[in-house]
Amino acid sequence: MEGVLADAVVVFAGHKEYRSLFAAGVRRLCGSPHPAVVDGQSVVDPDAWIAGGFAYRGIGRGDKNRHVLRE
């Protein structure tokens, strides 16, 4: 997947396989310096993805949507 850049990862299905995703691994695949994750099913751990450098947006989870963005 060389040369592929993604600005966002969107999870809109609650499949168990998505729960095992690791932010660091996904970020390497994105290639974007400031990727976002949009979690529509409360599947990923917001704190882990924020710590992994993602801008986290969770539908129905306003408590994590106003975090400070990290470089």
Side-chain angles (χ1 to χ4, degrees):
M1 294 182 52
E2 190 174 329
V4 176
L5 293 179
D7 293 323
V9 174
V10 181
V11 180
F12 278 138
H15 301 299
K16 65 182 178 185
E17 291 80 7
Y18 296 130
R19 295 183 190 280
S20 64
L21 291 175
F22 291 100
V26 175
R27 186 165 184 194
R28 281 192 298 276
L29 292 173
C30 288
S32 174
H34 304 288
V37 60
V38 179
D39 186 5
Q41 294 289 321
S42 298
V43 170
V44 302
D45 175 8
D47 295 322
W49 286 71
I50 291 167
F54 280 82
Y56 176 88
R57 295 295 179 261
I59 297 172
R61 291 188 85 160
D63 60 323
K64 297 292 180 178
N65 285 336
R66 298 202 181 271
H67 63 85
V68 175
L69 298 179
R70 296 180 175 206
E71 286 292 322

